[in-house]
């Protein structure tokens, strides 16, 4: 199970750091406005991702998931706990 190390709020952006997993996994980082219903998902190979073009002074929720591609098929772990952060 992937876990969020920290989420830093910047000016109209968020920086998410994930606890690194062994075995060449990739990470899915999902972000949404606190009151929204749908998540926006970004994938990365590195355990750090900066999400830009966010609305300032709004609360966002963040969660992460580790996954691995094997023969073109994605095997996804459990989603982390949801963290809420306010963008500057």
């Amino acid at each position: 199970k992937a876990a969020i190390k920290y989420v830093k709020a910047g000016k109209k952006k968020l920086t998410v750091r994930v606890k690194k997993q062994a075995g060449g996994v990739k990470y899915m980082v999902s972000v949404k406005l606190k009151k929204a219903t749908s998540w926006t998902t970004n994938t990365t190979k590195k355990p750090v991702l900066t999400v830009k073009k966010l609305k300032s002074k709004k609360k966002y929720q963040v969660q992460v998931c580790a996954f691995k591609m094997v023969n073109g098929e994605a095997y996804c772990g459990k989603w982390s706990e949801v963290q809420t952060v306010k963008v500057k």
Side-chain angles (χ1 to χ4, degrees):
K1 181 178 177 179
I4 297 173
K5 221 174 192 180
Y6 66 78
V7 180
K8 276 189 181 176
K11 193 168 185 178
K12 296 188 178 184
K13 66 181 179 178
L14 290 174
T15 302
V16 182
R17 179 170 282 280
V18 182
K19 287 186 180 174
K20 197 169 185 178
Q21 304 277 320
V25 297
K26 296 179 182 180
Y27 305 98
M28 286 192 285
V29 179
S30 290
V31 178
K32 73 170 187 140
L33 273 167
K34 188 165 182 176
K35 293 184 179 181
T37 55
S38 62
W39 293 85
T40 302
T41 304
N42 301 297
T43 59
T44 180
K45 290 182 182 178
K46 297 180 181 180
V48 178
L49 179 73
T50 301
V51 183
K52 298 178 182 177
K53 297 183 181 177
L54 302 176
K55 296 178 182 178
S56 61
K57 304 200 189 317
K58 297 285 182 182
K59 288 186 180 178
Y60 282 86
Q61 292 183 322
V62 181
Q63 64 179 358
V64 297
C65 176
F67 73 97
K68 190 170 188 175
M69 298 296 288
V70 179
N71 295 330
E73 195 170 337
Y75 291 92
C76 187
K78 290 185 178 180
W79 286 94
S80 69
E81 299 285 325
V82 175
Q83 285 194 11
T84 304
V85 64
K86 188 173 182 180
V87 176
K88 294 179 184 177

